[in-house]
Amino acid sequence: MSDCVKSTAGRGTRRAAQARATRRRIIDGALELFLRHGYAATTLDQIAGAAGVAVQTVYFHFGNKATVLKEVVDVMSVGDDEPIPMLDRPWVRQVREEPDGRRALAIWLSNSRVIFGRVAPIMKVVRDAAGADPEMAAQWETNQRQRFIAHHALVRQLGDKQALRPELTVQEAADIVFTLVSHEVYLLLTEARGWTPDRWESWINETVAGAVLR
């Protein structure tokens, strides 16, 4: 490779890294504002100010406020801005490879506790905005659908391990897990009732295992 090509490639890598860092600053600034003020009261100008960039930069990277919130939810769901879907994450592979159904479920729920700690507060913002904003209503529905897909995948794996109650279909078991392992239940117990995340994890393990496992 010539020096010219190497230099061009190096500049391209640096620009990509700078663009990614800028996007993350915008996401982090927007998260703080959405949690403090809600979705409707937060403006793109405020998000730009929090990130230390021009508002045109926010438009360039995201286009509109709804997309900013979507990206915030995505990053909080997986914990980083790597382009790796949740179901391809190493801990999900652990669930797949664990032969014992109860231990596989415990791995899933332990990671769910971590995820809910990050994402449940911002999902409350989405839920609160959904009643008055069609884009947020669509975002809420998308997130609910994605959560069901993830839990359906978990239940299929539990079925493959011969761990499900024989009287339950995969669909019925997925419905139960989807309902119990939810942002709403997590927030009711940890915020409204003052449970610690550890207590929630212990309870959800016992409750889901009792409901769907042999």
Side-chain angles (χ1 to χ4, degrees):
M1 184 182 293
S2 70
D3 290 342
C4 180
V5 172
K6 288 179 181 178
S7 177
T8 301
R11 285 197 299 272
T13 301
R14 284 194 298 274
R15 282 197 297 270
Q18 289 166 355
R20 181 175 177 180
T22 298
R23 286 177 62 88
R24 187 56 192 261
R25 285 203 311 277
I26 294 169
I27 288 168
D28 290 344
L31 172 64
E32 183 179 345
L33 289 167
F34 288 142
L35 293 178
R36 188 188 311 159
H37 302 302
Y39 177 76
T42 298
T43 67
L44 286 180
D45 282 327
Q46 290 171 332
I47 292 170
V53 300
V55 70
Q56 290 86 354
T57 302
V58 181
Y59 278 112
F60 173 77
H61 283 284
F62 298 97
N64 57 47
K65 187 170 66 169
T67 303
V68 176
L69 182 55
K70 176 187 179 301
E71 292 294 320
V72 169
V73 171
D74 288 348
V75 169
M76 290 301 101
S77 294
V78 297
D80 56 52
D81 58 358
E82 295 287 342
I84 305 171
M86 191 192 77
L87 292 179
D88 292 334
R89 296 274 163 163
W91 68 267
V92 179
R93 186 166 60 248
Q94 275 186 286
V95 173
R96 278 198 304 270
E97 294 174 354
E98 169 56 58
D100 181 83
R102 288 183 180 270
R103 284 198 292 267
L105 178 63
I107 294 168
W108 182 280
L109 295 174
S110 176
N111 283 277
S112 295
R113 184 195 69 180
V114 175
I115 292 168
F116 283 176
R118 289 191 306 258
V119 82
I122 194 65
M123 287 307 301
K124 184 165 66 170
V125 172
V126 177
R127 182 195 64 199
D128 291 348
D133 189 304
E135 286 186 294
M136 288 301 96
Q139 177 69 49
W140 177 258
E141 289 301 319
T142 295
N143 290 123
Q144 294 289 78
R145 185 168 58 252
Q146 289 171 339
R147 193 167 62 81
F148 179 79
I149 289 169
H151 285 131
H152 193 272
L154 166 66
V155 168
R156 281 203 318 271
Q157 292 166 26
L158 295 174
D160 292 342
K161 302 175 199 298
Q162 305 299 312
L164 290 180
R165 287 178 173 271
E167 69 272 19
L168 289 176
T169 66
V170 168
Q171 183 70 28
E172 289 168 339
D175 289 344
I176 292 168
V177 177
F178 170 77
T179 300
L180 292 172
V181 189
S182 64
H183 311 111
E184 296 93 329
V185 171
Y186 178 84
L187 287 171
L188 278 171
L189 291 173
T190 58
E191 286 195 356
R193 302 309 309 156
W195 286 26
T196 65
D198 282 346
R199 186 179 178 192
W200 174 86
E201 183 182 345
S202 176
W203 172 81
I204 200 68
N205 260 295
E206 293 176 8
T207 304
V208 174
V212 304
L213 297 186
R214 291 177 181 271

